[in-house]
Amino acid sequence: MTLWNGSYPFYPGANACFPFDTTRAVIVSIFLSVLVTSIIILPGIRGRRRLFWFLRLVLGLFLGTVILTVQFTRDWERGWVQANTSYKSFSTVRVSVDIGLHIGLAGVNVTLRGNPVKQINETINYNEHFPWSFGADYDHSYSQGLQKGLPSPILYVAEKFSLESPCAVHGQYRTAGHYVSLSLWLAFCTWLVSTLLFSMSIPLYGGHMLLLTATLIFFSLLFFSTARNTLKCPIQFGSVALRTGYGESFWLTLAAGLLCLLLGLGIIVLHSVQPERLRLLFSLDKSSKEEQEVWAKSCLPAEPSCSAQEGLVVPLGQLCQVTATRL
């Protein structure tokens, strides 16, 4: 039996587990609600327009969900390593853990998970977030981690991204994250404009806006790639190193950009080569054109009929006789 049962009193008793990401859940719930509502009204659309309308809806909601969700995800770059390392400062106790690094647009997450989870009479399951977004101080968050007495592997990884680190990657990742976020917000706005143009039956300009959306998405990926390629310092745990690669958010954003590019080019090519098929995809066939013409005519002011005009015409001679009659 050792003093404090082998641990030090300045370490917290409870583990700092990462909270549930409510932002992503809210965004996905909103888009799923729109999808479910559209499915409910789907039987009211007649003929083959139903399939094309549902396909456009699913693709549009997928693009909007991806562009908006990846703004708040923390897995643009990620990596895992299994190591046997020290657990706390001023202690020779070593533990077998899985160490994870997750880099997002607004900060970095460091995960520490025991293998097994319960070791040295503790539950090793940590996930700490160190932000660098607007209004956030990364070094202050790191100092708070030191004061709380976080495990040594978490502090070691977080120190690599601090302002005083010789790696000098904090500025690159922080600046790239801001530019990526700005590009994605612009892409979301252009996606909204393209959706509005498609709903107004103007597919050609909607295709142009999709191409602009794809361009903005590719710029965001380029900004993040330039920051990732600047990482020089190795994150070493004994004989093993923590290496990172592109995460799910990066590849999902790339898929959304390629989809926007293909859809935009497809719409423009169909408009030039086979406009009939483009009108079919957007339910702009002859019947819809006739309905639009009838609707436009109904909005015009009514003209007097020929019979009404004939009844109102009076010969000039009869008009003179009528005016000359004495009462």
Side-chain angles (χ1 to χ4, degrees):
M1 175 80 62
T2 59
L3 186 62
W4 307 113
N5 292 326
S7 63
Y8 294 89
F10 51 81
Y11 287 100
N15 291 324
C17 296
F18 185 70
F20 180 69
D21 191 358
T22 56
T23 304
R24 186 190 305 184
V26 169
I27 295 173
V28 174
S29 300
I30 292 174
F31 280 90
L32 285 179
S33 301
V34 175
L35 179 61
V36 171
T37 305
S38 304
I39 292 176
I40 293 175
I41 67 175
L42 190 62
I45 303 176
R46 296 176 297 175
R48 56 187 175 183
R49 299 181 185 178
R50 181 186 307 169
L51 177 61
F52 296 142
W53 182 83
F54 182 72
L55 182 61
R56 297 198 309 267
L57 175 70
V58 171
L59 291 176
L61 290 178
F62 171 76
L63 291 175
T65 305
V66 171
I67 296 173
L68 190 58
T69 304
V70 294
Q71 292 266 12
F72 308 99
T73 54
R74 298 172 182 176
D75 56 352
W76 278 74
E77 184 179 350
R78 59 185 303 179
W80 284 90
V81 67
Q82 184 175 359
N84 189 358
T85 181
S86 61
Y87 180 54
K88 296 178 180 179
S89 302
F90 312 109
S91 175
T92 58
V93 177
R94 303 180 69 86
V95 292
S96 178
V97 292
D98 295 326
I99 306 168
L101 175 62
H102 312 272
I103 302 176
L105 303 182
V108 60
N109 260 63
V110 184
T111 304
L112 182 67
R113 187 179 305 157
N115 190 14
V117 177
K118 290 188 177 295
Q119 298 182 52
I120 58 172
N121 297 326
E122 291 190 23
T123 300
I124 305 175
N125 190 10
Y126 290 83
N127 198 327
E128 291 290 329
H129 180 63
F130 301 91
W132 56 48
S133 58
F134 286 114
D137 189 351
Y138 186 92
D139 287 345
H140 178 68
S141 300
Y142 177 72
S143 299
Q144 286 183 337
L146 288 173
Q147 294 176 4
K148 290 190 300 183
L150 292 178
S152 296
I154 295 180
L155 296 176
Y156 169 69
V157 176
E159 185 184 7
K160 296 291 185 179
F161 295 88
S162 63
L163 282 172
E164 299 179 357
S165 173
C167 295
V169 296
H170 177 86
Q172 289 87 338
Y173 273 100
R174 187 172 186 269
T175 304
H178 293 165
Y179 280 108
V180 171
S181 181
L182 177 61
S183 300
L184 290 177
W185 278 119
L186 292 176
F188 183 73
C189 293
T190 55
W191 169 80
L192 286 177
V193 174
S194 67
T195 304
L196 180 62
L197 291 173
F198 288 143
S199 63
M200 296 172 61
S201 302
I202 313 177
L204 179 60
Y205 295 104
H208 290 158
M209 294 307 296
L210 280 181
L211 288 182
L212 181 57
T213 304
T215 303
L216 291 170
I217 292 176
F218 290 146
F219 269 118
S220 67
L221 297 175
L222 180 62
F223 291 144
F224 189 80
S225 298
T226 54
R228 181 183 180 275
N229 293 330
T230 59
L231 185 60
K232 302 296 182 181
C233 292
I235 304 177
Q236 199 78 23
F237 292 95
S239 59
V240 295
L242 176 59
R243 304 183 185 278
T244 60
Y246 291 118
E248 297 175 359
S249 296
F250 182 90
W251 297 115
L252 195 59
T253 307
L254 178 61
L258 292 176
L259 183 59
C260 287
L261 179 64
L262 293 177
L263 291 176
L265 289 177
I267 290 173
I268 294 175
V269 170
L270 281 179
H271 183 270
S272 302
V273 179
Q274 294 181 340
E276 295 82 7
R277 292 192 176 183
L278 183 62
R279 288 195 295 268
L280 179 63
L281 289 175
F282 287 89
S283 303
L284 299 177
D285 50 0
K286 295 181 179 179
S287 60
S288 62
K289 278 189 172 183
E290 293 176 357
E291 293 176 358
Q292 293 177 0
E293 292 176 359
V294 171
W295 181 84
K297 289 181 178 180
S298 64
C299 295
L300 296 176
E303 298 180 357
S305 60
C306 296
S307 59
Q309 292 180 357
E310 292 176 357
L312 294 176
V313 174
V314 179
L316 183 60
Q318 296 179 5
L319 182 61
C320 295
Q321 294 178 0
V322 171
T323 55
T325 303
R326 295 181 180 179
L327 296 177

